[in-house]
Amino acid sequence: MRSVIDIVDLSVEELDALMKTACDIIDNPEKYQEVCRHKKLATLFFEPSTRTRLSFEAAMYELGGNVISVSSANNSSAAKGESVADTAKTVSCYADIIAMRHPKEGAALVASRAASIPVINAGDGGHNHPTQTLADLLTIYREKGGMDNLTIGLCGDLKFGRTVHSLINAMSRYKNVKFVLISPEELKVPSYVKKDVLQRNRIPYYQTTDLEDAIGDLDILYMTRVQRERFFNEEDYLRLKDSYILTPQKLNNAREDLCIMHPLPRVNEISVAIDGDPRACYFKQVANGKYMRMALILKLLKEAGTI
Ligand code: NCD
């Protein structure tokens, strides 16, 4: 059974095909209105979420399907001590596909091994978040007209930010991409990502703590929230939380065609004064995320022979 746990579970050709489907959905929504009729998506969210859960649910409704949902760990059998594997086996009896978010790294993988239906990882701890990356890729494609020859600045919590890890993995597979990794010392990209992805694929990158110094080089600036829930102590979080705040003044040296992204939720990282700037793309990412999730649900249900 095909599941998507990591962005590398999808080949570059498949990513491109998903973007093509998403663009077709945007242009011809009526073609897709009934394709998942009588099919059910189960959203199992054991960690807070607004966008990801609602966009999966909106995606399934727009495909004509239905949704059943666990929206927090507290009101499910997880609170009674049920294992992820048992939950996945149980939900396989009710639904055709699962989208799962869990605070533990690897939880979606465990679920996919136990389930008899496709599982989509909607975020596992500080590890991966492949469908946010699908949203990011479509945004880059639509804003930049392609995926190659881009310098991408990632700024903020690059250690615990799972969207960052998945995006590095995905963009490393396109041509002539460079990364600028902007973070406090304590929140640098984990060494397994640097070694296994950047160095192994000979992707040029440099690390810096200085956003203003780097901003002029960038085609894309991907801001991220400091991941409070993954810190071991509140003091460190308080010290680091406002490390980077993008203001209109900091954009002085930025390119006219810079694309400013953020997976959201935003706390303080981007001043609201930037929201009206034509370079602000973070709410476009939200819209693109729904279309990419529609494309992914379609693909996995087709491959499973469900539709
Ligand atoms: C992200 C996540 O959950 O990792 N949110 C999202 O799904 N768009 C980013 C974050 O929580 O900071």
Side-chain angles (χ1 to χ4, degrees):
M1 184 58 57
R2 182 88 189 270
S3 287
V4 171
I5 305 305
D6 191 308
I7 196 69
V8 298
D9 294 341
L10 296 162
S11 67
V12 173
E13 292 71 31
E14 287 178 311
L15 293 176
D16 293 345
L18 285 170
M19 288 193 266
K20 220 169 139 203
T21 305
C23 290
D24 193 51
I25 295 171
I26 293 168
D27 292 340
N28 307 292
E30 65 295 337
K31 237 169 83 183
Y32 295 87
Q33 271 165 8
E34 298 287 333
V35 279
C36 288
R37 212 166 130 79
H38 300 310
K39 304 303 170 203
K40 273 173 274 165
L41 163 75
T43 50
L44 308 181
F45 276 60
F46 302 106
E47 240 193 8
S49 168
T50 300
R51 262 154 302 274
T52 306
R53 185 167 66 85
L54 295 186
S55 88
F56 265 112
E57 297 185 355
M60 193 57 171
Y61 283 123
E62 289 190 26
L63 293 167
N66 300 305
V67 174
I68 54 177
S69 187
V70 166
S71 59
S72 89
N74 302 337
N75 60 20
S76 74
S77 286
K80 301 180 186 170
E82 185 169 59
S83 70
V84 165
D86 283 1
T87 301
K89 279 187 191 151
T90 301
V91 175
S92 296
C93 303
Y94 306 142
D96 300 289
I97 186 165
I98 292 173
M100 182 192 226
R101 169 170 290 189
H102 199 282
K104 284 213 181 100
E105 289 79 5
L109 180 64
V110 170
S112 71
R113 287 183 175 155
S116 55
I117 57 176
V119 174
I120 303 173
N121 182 7
D124 62 326
H127 191 215
N128 277 321
H129 192 347
T131 64
Q132 179 61 45
T133 301
L134 295 181
D136 300 341
L137 294 181
L138 183 61
T139 306
I140 293 171
Y141 175 73
R142 295 180 79 194
E143 296 303 311
K144 293 286 169 196
M147 316 300 283
D148 300 332
N149 307 314
L150 295 171
T151 301
I152 304 167
L154 299 160
C155 179
D157 186 347
L158 309 188
K159 178 179 180 186
F160 296 117
R162 55 194 173 192
T163 65
V164 165
H165 308 153
S166 293
L167 186 59
I168 290 177
N169 249 305
M171 288 307 295
S172 291
R173 294 188 285 161
Y174 289 94
K175 288 196 196 81
N176 192 26
V177 166
K178 300 187 188 101
F179 290 98
V180 183
L181 307 175
I182 309 153
S183 73
E185 280 299 317
E186 295 96 322
L187 299 178
K188 282 179 166 170
V189 170
S191 54
Y192 77 88
V193 177
K194 276 185 274 194
K195 258 202 236 133
D196 298 349
V197 186
L198 296 171
Q199 289 159 15
R200 178 173 297 166
N201 296 301
R202 297 173 203 274
I203 310 292
Y205 73 92
Y206 70 88
Q207 303 185 93
T208 175
T209 54
D210 192 336
L211 170 60
E212 280 175 272
D213 194 41
I215 205 164
D217 294 336
L218 307 178
D219 297 300
I220 290 163
L221 172 58
Y222 193 96
M223 298 295 294
T224 61
R225 171 180 74 90
V226 175
Q227 306 280 298
R228 177 182 209 158
E229 64 275 38
R230 314 222 188 278
F231 273 68
F232 297 111
N233 70 69
E234 184 74 0
E235 242 170 66
D236 285 348
Y237 168 73
L238 293 174
R239 183 168 52 79
L240 293 167
K241 72 183 176 66
D242 291 328
S243 298
Y244 301 100
I245 300 175
L246 190 64
T247 56
Q249 184 231 326
K250 289 195 184 135
L251 285 175
N252 281 345
N253 294 328
R255 295 192 190 155
E256 282 304 308
D257 62 350
L258 175 71
C259 172
I260 305 168
M261 299 174 68
H262 191 306
L264 304 178
R266 144 175 74 182
V267 182
N268 257 337
E269 307 79 45
I270 302 180
S271 146
V272 291
I274 289 178
D275 293 1
D277 190 302
R279 293 170 286 189
C281 295
Y282 25 96
F283 288 105
K284 293 183 184 171
Q285 276 168 274
V286 177
N288 288 330
K290 182 184 71 181
Y291 296 117
M292 286 302 266
R293 290 182 176 105
M294 289 172 80
L296 182 63
I297 291 169
L298 269 180
K299 176 181 171 61
L300 294 179
L301 288 181
K302 272 190 195 152
E303 285 183 22
T306 309
I307 56 171

